Amino acid sequence: MSALVISALDQAAPARRLADKLGAPFAELEIHRFPDGESLVRASQASATTIIYDSLDRPNGKLIELMLAASALRDLGAARLVLVAPYLCYMRQDKAFEPGQAISQRVIGRLLAERFDRIVSISPHLHRVSSLDTVFPGAETTSLSAAPLLAKLIQADGDPADVLIVGPDSESRPSAEAVARELSAPFVVLSKVRESDRNVSSKLDEKWLAPGRAAYIVDDVASTGNTIAAAASVLKAAGASRIEAAVAHALLSGKDLRRLRAAGVERLRSTDSVLHPTNAIESAPLLAGALRGEIE
Ligand code: R5P
């Protein structure tokens, strides 16, 4: 029997696109939200292998509903549960930075690993913990790179030899390097100092930027957009002719987007891993490539 692709929450459109790519049946989970804030989750069908699609932006409520969905699907006979979470939450707190802090990545990682046989994601924010296998002990994991998708967007704009790919901080180096490699374009990584969630400054250490060159800032995630805004200010001062940004996951608000434009970023584009006004490329083909084995 083929796998079912199920949209757990409010992302039926990308989940359906994935089901279409896989030629797999699609069924939406039903969610009822009680007046007191609790959720009731109902699954109508499951197959031996069942895929739940649930991108985990705005994660706190979604995680509870995901736990309930996993339980309902197990009860209906799903022996193998695959979680497709194009955006994975709680990745940044991978250690206690100050005494007493919860290591959220470890807590949420175990919670999901206990319920899912396999977890598939796109460009997860891995830093000090470098592998999803460590985040999700005992589960199979697949970490897909968004670099080919972002490179495709930039390539469509013209000759990539004329652009500079910019990683806004050391953590973005793998993403920036991978996109630059795909395009055979030069890249540079800025140094960033983060003073708080919203207060960020950047520095261009190398005298790299040829004046008149278009700069594309590439990162895995834009949360508030402040990292990209700080990078844009530096690039503007260094003489970039045009500044754009491309990220795997866009989480920022409309107000943050406007601030980004005011900082000189002409355009921010993202994959549809998180539904957002900046979505410019579908992730279904990438995800389908990794999931084909589940339905054969
Ligand atoms: C950080 O290390 C990440 O790669 C991103 O640069 C960061 O999370 C973006 O956050 P924000 O958009 O809030 O600056």
Side-chain angles (χ1 to χ4, degrees), residues 152-210:
K152 206 165 152 186
L153 284 177
I154 296 170
Q155 192 146 37
D157 290 346
D159 187 354
D162 291 338
V163 306
L164 179 70
I165 303 301
V166 180
D169 56 20
S170 58
E171 293 169 31
S172 66
R173 176 176 284 275
S175 310
E177 198 168 4
V179 170
R181 199 177 320 114
E182 293 270 340
L183 295 169
S184 304
F187 81 98
V188 64
V189 175
L190 307 188
S191 24
K192 171 172 96 176
V193 179
R194 180 183 282 286
E195 272 133 39
S196 67
D197 284 350
R198 288 190 170 265
N199 197 353
V200 170
S201 63
S202 273
K203 228 170 49 194
L204 179 62
D205 290 329
E206 306 160 57
K207 293 277 166 247
W208 237 98
L209 190 65

Short mmCIF file of all heavy atoms in Angstrom, two decimals, residues 152-210:
data_model
loop_
_atom_site.label_atom_id
_atom_site.label_comp_id
_atom_site.label_asym_id
_atom_site.label_seq_id
_atom_site.Cartn_x
_atom_site.Cartn_y
_atom_site.Cartn_z
N LYS A 152 19.03 28.34 -7.70
CA LYS A 152 18.17 28.42 -8.89
C LYS A 152 17.50 29.80 -8.99
O LYS A 152 17.40 30.39 -10.08
CB LYS A 152 17.10 27.34 -8.78
CG LYS A 152 16.55 26.87 -10.09
CD LYS A 152 15.81 25.57 -9.85
CE LYS A 152 14.72 25.40 -10.87
NZ LYS A 152 13.90 24.23 -10.60
N LEU A 153 17.06 30.32 -7.85
CA LEU A 153 16.43 31.65 -7.83
C LEU A 153 17.41 32.71 -8.31
O LEU A 153 17.07 33.59 -9.10
CB LEU A 153 16.00 32.01 -6.41
CG LEU A 153 14.77 31.37 -5.83
CD1 LEU A 153 14.58 31.81 -4.39
CD2 LEU A 153 13.55 31.75 -6.66
N ILE A 154 18.64 32.64 -7.79
CA ILE A 154 19.64 33.67 -8.11
C ILE A 154 20.06 33.54 -9.57
O ILE A 154 20.20 34.54 -10.28
CB ILE A 154 20.85 33.54 -7.14
CG1 ILE A 154 20.38 33.82 -5.71
CG2 ILE A 154 21.99 34.48 -7.55
CD1 ILE A 154 21.39 33.50 -4.62
N GLN A 155 20.19 32.30 -10.02
CA GLN A 155 20.60 32.05 -11.40
C GLN A 155 19.62 32.66 -12.39
O GLN A 155 20.01 33.18 -13.43
CB GLN A 155 20.69 30.55 -11.62
CG GLN A 155 21.37 30.17 -12.91
CD GLN A 155 22.15 28.89 -12.73
OE1 GLN A 155 21.67 28.01 -12.01
NE2 GLN A 155 23.30 28.76 -13.35
N ALA A 156 18.35 32.60 -12.03
CA ALA A 156 17.31 33.10 -12.94
C ALA A 156 17.42 34.61 -13.14
O ALA A 156 16.86 35.17 -14.07
CB ALA A 156 15.93 32.75 -12.39
N ASP A 157 18.17 35.29 -12.24
CA ASP A 157 18.30 36.76 -12.33
C ASP A 157 19.35 37.21 -13.33
O ASP A 157 19.46 38.39 -13.62
CB ASP A 157 18.68 37.35 -10.97
CG ASP A 157 17.54 37.27 -9.99
OD1 ASP A 157 16.42 37.00 -10.42
OD2 ASP A 157 17.80 37.47 -8.79
N GLY A 158 20.21 36.30 -13.78
CA GLY A 158 21.26 36.73 -14.72
C GLY A 158 22.55 36.01 -14.45
O GLY A 158 22.55 35.00 -13.75
N ASP A 159 23.66 36.55 -14.98
CA ASP A 159 24.94 35.85 -14.91
C ASP A 159 25.46 35.78 -13.47
O ASP A 159 25.82 36.80 -12.88
CB ASP A 159 25.95 36.60 -15.80
CG ASP A 159 27.25 35.82 -15.91
OD1 ASP A 159 27.39 34.79 -15.22
OD2 ASP A 159 28.12 36.26 -16.70
N PRO A 160 25.53 34.58 -12.87
CA PRO A 160 25.98 34.47 -11.49
C PRO A 160 27.44 34.88 -11.29
O PRO A 160 27.85 35.15 -10.16
CB PRO A 160 25.79 32.98 -11.15
CG PRO A 160 25.34 32.30 -12.37
CD PRO A 160 25.18 33.29 -13.47
N ALA A 161 28.20 34.96 -12.39
CA ALA A 161 29.60 35.37 -12.24
C ALA A 161 29.69 36.83 -11.79
O ALA A 161 30.70 37.27 -11.25
CB ALA A 161 30.34 35.17 -13.55
N ASP A 162 28.61 37.59 -12.00
CA ASP A 162 28.62 39.01 -11.63
C ASP A 162 28.13 39.27 -10.21
O ASP A 162 27.97 40.43 -9.83
CB ASP A 162 27.72 39.81 -12.59
CG ASP A 162 28.31 39.85 -13.98
OD1 ASP A 162 29.54 39.65 -14.09
OD2 ASP A 162 27.56 40.05 -14.94
N VAL A 163 27.81 38.23 -9.48
CA VAL A 163 27.23 38.48 -8.15
C VAL A 163 28.19 38.01 -7.06
O VAL A 163 29.08 37.19 -7.30
CB VAL A 163 25.86 37.78 -7.96
CG1 VAL A 163 24.89 38.15 -9.06
CG2 VAL A 163 26.01 36.28 -7.84
N LEU A 164 27.98 38.54 -5.89
CA LEU A 164 28.73 38.10 -4.72
C LEU A 164 27.73 37.45 -3.76
O LEU A 164 26.70 38.05 -3.43
CB LEU A 164 29.40 39.30 -4.04
CG LEU A 164 30.20 38.99 -2.79
CD1 LEU A 164 31.47 38.21 -3.14
CD2 LEU A 164 30.57 40.27 -2.05
N ILE A 165 28.01 36.23 -3.35
CA ILE A 165 27.15 35.56 -2.36
C ILE A 165 27.70 35.91 -0.98
O ILE A 165 28.90 35.81 -0.74
CB ILE A 165 27.17 34.03 -2.57
CG1 ILE A 165 26.72 33.68 -4.00
CG2 ILE A 165 26.30 33.33 -1.53
CD1 ILE A 165 25.33 34.15 -4.37
N VAL A 166 26.79 36.30 -0.08
CA VAL A 166 27.23 36.79 1.23
C VAL A 166 26.56 35.98 2.34
O VAL A 166 25.33 35.90 2.41
CB VAL A 166 26.86 38.28 1.40
CG1 VAL A 166 27.32 38.80 2.76
CG2 VAL A 166 27.48 39.11 0.28
N GLY A 167 27.37 35.39 3.20
CA GLY A 167 26.85 34.76 4.42
C GLY A 167 26.90 35.83 5.49
O GLY A 167 27.95 36.41 5.74
N PRO A 168 25.78 36.14 6.16
CA PRO A 168 25.77 37.26 7.10
C PRO A 168 26.45 36.97 8.43
O PRO A 168 26.68 37.89 9.22
CB PRO A 168 24.28 37.54 7.31
CG PRO A 168 23.62 36.24 7.03
CD PRO A 168 24.44 35.55 5.98
N ASP A 169 26.77 35.70 8.71
CA ASP A 169 27.48 35.38 9.95
C ASP A 169 28.16 34.02 9.78
O ASP A 169 27.93 33.32 8.80
CB ASP A 169 26.53 35.37 11.16
CG ASP A 169 25.36 34.41 10.99
OD1 ASP A 169 25.45 33.49 10.16
OD2 ASP A 169 24.36 34.59 11.69
N SER A 170 28.98 33.66 10.76
CA SER A 170 29.77 32.43 10.60
C SER A 170 28.85 31.20 10.48
O SER A 170 29.19 30.23 9.80
CB SER A 170 30.74 32.26 11.76
OG SER A 170 30.01 32.24 12.95
N GLU A 171 27.69 31.24 11.15
CA GLU A 171 26.79 30.08 11.08
C GLU A 171 26.19 29.89 9.69
O GLU A 171 25.75 28.80 9.34
CB GLU A 171 25.66 30.23 12.11
CG GLU A 171 26.19 30.14 13.53
CD GLU A 171 25.17 30.54 14.56
OE1 GLU A 171 23.97 30.35 14.33
OE2 GLU A 171 25.58 31.06 15.61
N SER A 172 26.18 30.95 8.91
CA SER A 172 25.60 30.83 7.57
C SER A 172 26.63 30.36 6.54
O SER A 172 26.29 30.20 5.36
CB SER A 172 25.03 32.19 7.14
OG SER A 172 26.07 33.12 6.97
N ARG A 173 27.87 30.17 6.98
CA ARG A 173 28.93 29.81 6.02
C ARG A 173 28.55 28.59 5.17
O ARG A 173 28.66 28.63 3.94
CB ARG A 173 30.25 29.58 6.75
CG ARG A 173 31.39 29.11 5.82
CD ARG A 173 32.69 28.98 6.56
NE ARG A 173 33.31 30.26 6.83
CZ ARG A 173 34.09 30.93 5.99
NH1 ARG A 173 34.37 30.42 4.80
NH2 ARG A 173 34.61 32.08 6.33
N PRO A 174 28.07 27.47 5.79
CA PRO A 174 27.76 26.30 4.95
C PRO A 174 26.71 26.62 3.87
O PRO A 174 26.87 26.20 2.72
CB PRO A 174 27.23 25.26 5.94
CG PRO A 174 27.73 25.69 7.27
CD PRO A 174 27.86 27.18 7.22
N SER A 175 25.66 27.39 4.23
CA SER A 175 24.62 27.72 3.23
C SER A 175 25.21 28.59 2.13
O SER A 175 25.02 28.33 0.94
CB SER A 175 23.47 28.51 3.84
OG SER A 175 22.98 27.92 4.99
N ALA A 176 25.95 29.65 2.52
CA ALA A 176 26.50 30.58 1.53
C ALA A 176 27.49 29.87 0.62
O ALA A 176 27.47 30.05 -0.61
CB ALA A 176 27.16 31.75 2.24
N GLU A 177 28.30 29.02 1.23
CA GLU A 177 29.32 28.31 0.46
C GLU A 177 28.66 27.36 -0.54
O GLU A 177 29.07 27.28 -1.71
CB GLU A 177 30.22 27.54 1.43
CG GLU A 177 31.53 27.12 0.83
CD GLU A 177 32.52 26.62 1.90
OE1 GLU A 177 32.16 26.53 3.09
OE2 GLU A 177 33.66 26.33 1.51
N ALA A 178 27.61 26.67 -0.08
CA ALA A 178 26.94 25.71 -0.97
C ALA A 178 26.26 26.42 -2.14
O ALA A 178 26.31 25.96 -3.29
CB ALA A 178 25.93 24.89 -0.18
N VAL A 179 25.63 27.57 -1.87
CA VAL A 179 24.96 28.31 -2.95
C VAL A 179 26.02 28.84 -3.92
O VAL A 179 25.87 28.74 -5.15
CB VAL A 179 24.11 29.47 -2.38
CG1 VAL A 179 23.62 30.39 -3.49
CG2 VAL A 179 22.92 28.91 -1.61
N ALA A 180 27.12 29.37 -3.39
CA ALA A 180 28.19 29.90 -4.25
C ALA A 180 28.76 28.78 -5.13
O ALA A 180 29.04 28.99 -6.31
CB ALA A 180 29.28 30.53 -3.39
N ARG A 181 28.90 27.59 -4.53
CA ARG A 181 29.44 26.46 -5.30
C ARG A 181 28.50 26.11 -6.46
O ARG A 181 28.92 25.91 -7.58
CB ARG A 181 29.64 25.26 -4.38
CG ARG A 181 30.60 24.22 -4.96
CD ARG A 181 30.87 23.04 -4.03
NE ARG A 181 31.02 23.39 -2.63
CZ ARG A 181 30.17 23.03 -1.67
NH1 ARG A 181 29.11 22.31 -1.93
NH2 ARG A 181 30.38 23.38 -0.41
N GLU A 182 27.21 26.06 -6.15
CA GLU A 182 26.22 25.74 -7.21
C GLU A 182 26.31 26.72 -8.37
O GLU A 182 26.07 26.38 -9.51
CB GLU A 182 24.79 25.83 -6.65
CG GLU A 182 24.43 24.78 -5.62
CD GLU A 182 23.84 23.51 -6.23
OE1 GLU A 182 23.37 23.58 -7.37
OE2 GLU A 182 23.89 22.47 -5.55
N LEU A 183 26.63 28.00 -8.04
CA LEU A 183 26.61 29.06 -9.06
C LEU A 183 28.00 29.36 -9.63
O LEU A 183 28.12 30.19 -10.52
CB LEU A 183 26.09 30.35 -8.43
CG LEU A 183 24.63 30.35 -7.96
CD1 LEU A 183 24.35 31.59 -7.13
CD2 LEU A 183 23.69 30.30 -9.16
N SER A 184 29.03 28.72 -9.06
CA SER A 184 30.42 29.09 -9.37
C SER A 184 30.61 30.60 -9.20
O SER A 184 31.19 31.28 -10.04
CB SER A 184 30.81 28.70 -10.79
OG SER A 184 30.62 27.34 -10.99
N ALA A 185 30.07 31.13 -8.12
CA ALA A 185 30.16 32.57 -7.82
C ALA A 185 31.07 32.75 -6.60
O ALA A 185 31.18 31.84 -5.78
CB ALA A 185 28.77 33.14 -7.52
N PRO A 186 31.69 33.92 -6.46
CA PRO A 186 32.50 34.16 -5.26
C PRO A 186 31.60 34.35 -4.03
O PRO A 186 30.44 34.74 -4.17
CB PRO A 186 33.24 35.46 -5.58
CG PRO A 186 32.42 36.13 -6.62
CD PRO A 186 31.69 35.06 -7.38
N PHE A 187 32.13 34.07 -2.83
CA PHE A 187 31.33 34.31 -1.63
C PHE A 187 32.20 34.88 -0.53
O PHE A 187 33.43 34.73 -0.52
CB PHE A 187 30.60 33.05 -1.16
CG PHE A 187 31.45 32.09 -0.37
CD1 PHE A 187 31.42 32.09 1.01
CD2 PHE A 187 32.27 31.20 -1.02
CE1 PHE A 187 32.20 31.21 1.75
CE2 PHE A 187 33.07 30.32 -0.30
CZ PHE A 187 33.03 30.31 1.08
N VAL A 188 31.54 35.54 0.41
CA VAL A 188 32.23 36.12 1.55
C VAL A 188 31.32 35.93 2.77
O VAL A 188 30.11 35.86 2.63
CB VAL A 188 32.52 37.63 1.27
CG1 VAL A 188 31.25 38.44 1.15
CG2 VAL A 188 33.42 38.23 2.32
N VAL A 189 31.94 35.79 3.94
CA VAL A 189 31.15 35.62 5.16
C VAL A 189 31.45 36.79 6.09
O VAL A 189 32.61 37.11 6.34
CB VAL A 189 31.50 34.27 5.84
CG1 VAL A 189 30.78 34.13 7.18
CG2 VAL A 189 31.13 33.10 4.92
N LEU A 190 30.41 37.44 6.57
CA LEU A 190 30.59 38.59 7.46
C LEU A 190 30.71 38.11 8.91
O LEU A 190 30.31 37.00 9.24
CB LEU A 190 29.38 39.54 7.37
CG LEU A 190 28.93 40.02 5.99
CD1 LEU A 190 27.86 41.08 6.14
CD2 LEU A 190 30.09 40.57 5.20
N SER A 191 31.27 38.98 9.76
CA SER A 191 31.21 38.62 11.19
C SER A 191 30.09 39.42 11.83
O SER A 191 29.87 40.59 11.51
CB SER A 191 32.53 38.84 11.92
OG SER A 191 33.31 39.78 11.28
N LYS A 192 29.38 38.72 12.72
CA LYS A 192 28.19 39.32 13.33
C LYS A 192 28.35 39.35 14.84
O LYS A 192 28.87 38.41 15.43
CB LYS A 192 26.97 38.45 12.96
CG LYS A 192 25.70 38.81 13.68
CD LYS A 192 24.50 38.05 13.12
CE LYS A 192 24.17 36.81 13.90
NZ LYS A 192 22.97 36.12 13.43
N VAL A 193 27.91 40.43 15.45
CA VAL A 193 27.83 40.46 16.91
C VAL A 193 26.36 40.60 17.26
O VAL A 193 25.68 41.52 16.79
CB VAL A 193 28.63 41.66 17.49
CG1 VAL A 193 28.52 41.68 19.01
CG2 VAL A 193 30.08 41.59 17.04
N ARG A 194 25.86 39.63 18.02
CA ARG A 194 24.45 39.69 18.43
C ARG A 194 24.40 40.12 19.89
O ARG A 194 24.90 39.41 20.76
CB ARG A 194 23.78 38.33 18.24
CG ARG A 194 22.30 38.35 18.65
CD ARG A 194 21.66 36.99 18.51
NE ARG A 194 21.32 36.62 17.15
CZ ARG A 194 20.31 37.11 16.46
NH1 ARG A 194 19.55 38.05 16.99
NH2 ARG A 194 20.08 36.69 15.24
N GLU A 195 23.78 41.30 20.13
CA GLU A 195 23.68 41.74 21.52
C GLU A 195 22.38 41.28 22.17
O GLU A 195 22.31 41.07 23.37
CB GLU A 195 23.78 43.27 21.60
CG GLU A 195 25.23 43.74 21.72
CD GLU A 195 25.56 44.87 20.76
OE1 GLU A 195 24.71 45.74 20.57
OE2 GLU A 195 26.68 44.84 20.19
N SER A 196 21.34 41.09 21.37
CA SER A 196 20.07 40.60 21.89
C SER A 196 19.28 40.02 20.71
O SER A 196 19.77 40.02 19.58
CB SER A 196 19.27 41.76 22.52
OG SER A 196 18.90 42.65 21.48
N ASP A 197 18.04 39.57 20.97
CA ASP A 197 17.23 38.98 19.90
C ASP A 197 17.14 39.90 18.69
O ASP A 197 17.10 39.47 17.55
CB ASP A 197 15.80 38.72 20.39
CG ASP A 197 15.74 37.49 21.30
OD1 ASP A 197 16.75 36.78 21.37
OD2 ASP A 197 14.68 37.28 21.93
N ARG A 198 17.05 41.22 18.95
CA ARG A 198 16.80 42.15 17.85
C ARG A 198 17.95 43.12 17.59
O ARG A 198 17.85 43.96 16.72
CB ARG A 198 15.51 42.97 18.13
CG ARG A 198 14.27 42.11 17.98
CD ARG A 198 13.01 42.93 18.00
NE ARG A 198 11.90 42.07 17.60
CZ ARG A 198 11.44 41.98 16.37
NH1 ARG A 198 11.97 42.68 15.40
NH2 ARG A 198 10.43 41.17 16.09
N ASN A 199 19.01 43.00 18.35
CA ASN A 199 20.10 43.96 18.19
C ASN A 199 21.35 43.24 17.66
O ASN A 199 21.99 42.47 18.35
CB ASN A 199 20.38 44.61 19.55
CG ASN A 199 21.18 45.87 19.39
OD1 ASN A 199 21.64 46.18 18.28
ND2 ASN A 199 21.37 46.59 20.48
N VAL A 200 21.64 43.52 16.37
CA VAL A 200 22.70 42.78 15.69
C VAL A 200 23.56 43.77 14.91
O VAL A 200 23.05 44.72 14.34
CB VAL A 200 22.02 41.80 14.68
CG1 VAL A 200 23.04 41.18 13.75
CG2 VAL A 200 21.23 40.72 15.40
N SER A 201 24.87 43.55 14.91
CA SER A 201 25.71 44.37 14.01
C SER A 201 26.66 43.46 13.24
O SER A 201 26.96 42.35 13.67
CB SER A 201 26.48 45.43 14.79
OG SER A 201 27.35 44.78 15.69
N SER A 202 27.13 43.95 12.09
CA SER A 202 27.93 43.11 11.18
C SER A 202 29.18 43.82 10.76
O SER A 202 29.25 45.05 10.76
CB SER A 202 27.14 42.86 9.90
OG SER A 202 26.34 41.76 10.05
N LYS A 203 30.15 43.03 10.34
CA LYS A 203 31.42 43.58 9.88
C LYS A 203 31.90 42.80 8.66
O LYS A 203 31.77 41.57 8.62
CB LYS A 203 32.46 43.42 10.99
CG LYS A 203 33.22 44.68 11.26
CD LYS A 203 34.09 44.63 12.51
CE LYS A 203 34.96 43.41 12.56
NZ LYS A 203 35.58 43.06 13.76
N LEU A 204 32.42 43.55 7.68
CA LEU A 204 33.01 42.89 6.51
C LEU A 204 34.52 42.92 6.74
O LEU A 204 35.15 43.96 6.66
CB LEU A 204 32.63 43.66 5.25
CG LEU A 204 33.15 43.18 3.91
CD1 LEU A 204 32.64 41.79 3.60
CD2 LEU A 204 32.70 44.12 2.80
N ASP A 205 35.08 41.75 7.10
CA ASP A 205 36.50 41.74 7.46
C ASP A 205 37.40 41.85 6.24
O ASP A 205 38.45 42.46 6.29
CB ASP A 205 36.84 40.43 8.20
CG ASP A 205 36.20 40.44 9.57
OD1 ASP A 205 36.05 41.53 10.15
OD2 ASP A 205 35.83 39.36 10.06
N GLU A 206 36.99 41.22 5.16
CA GLU A 206 37.88 41.20 3.99
C GLU A 206 37.52 42.33 3.03
O GLU A 206 36.37 42.70 2.91
CB GLU A 206 37.72 39.86 3.26
CG GLU A 206 37.94 38.68 4.19
CD GLU A 206 37.32 37.42 3.61
OE1 GLU A 206 37.68 37.04 2.50
OE2 GLU A 206 36.47 36.83 4.29
N LYS A 207 38.48 42.82 2.33
CA LYS A 207 38.23 43.85 1.31
C LYS A 207 37.82 43.12 0.04
O LYS A 207 38.57 42.99 -0.91
CB LYS A 207 39.51 44.67 1.06
CG LYS A 207 39.92 45.49 2.25
CD LYS A 207 39.14 46.82 2.29
CE LYS A 207 39.30 47.45 3.65
NZ LYS A 207 38.10 47.53 4.46
N TRP A 208 36.62 42.57 0.08
CA TRP A 208 36.24 41.62 -0.94
C TRP A 208 35.32 42.20 -2.00
O TRP A 208 35.34 41.80 -3.13
CB TRP A 208 35.48 40.48 -0.24
CG TRP A 208 36.09 39.14 -0.49
CD1 TRP A 208 36.94 38.47 0.35
CD2 TRP A 208 35.90 38.31 -1.63
NE1 TRP A 208 37.28 37.28 -0.22
CE2 TRP A 208 36.66 37.15 -1.44
CE3 TRP A 208 35.17 38.43 -2.81
CZ2 TRP A 208 36.71 36.13 -2.36
CZ3 TRP A 208 35.22 37.40 -3.73
CH2 TRP A 208 35.98 36.27 -3.50
N LEU A 209 34.49 43.11 -1.53
CA LEU A 209 33.38 43.49 -2.40
C LEU A 209 33.80 44.45 -3.49
O LEU A 209 34.20 45.57 -3.22
CB LEU A 209 32.28 44.12 -1.54
CG LEU A 209 30.97 44.34 -2.27
CD1 LEU A 209 30.34 43.03 -2.67
CD2 LEU A 209 30.03 45.13 -1.40
N ALA A 210 33.73 44.01 -4.74
CA ALA A 210 34.01 44.92 -5.86
C ALA A 210 32.87 45.91 -5.94
O ALA A 210 31.71 45.51 -6.07
CB ALA A 210 34.10 44.12 -7.15
#
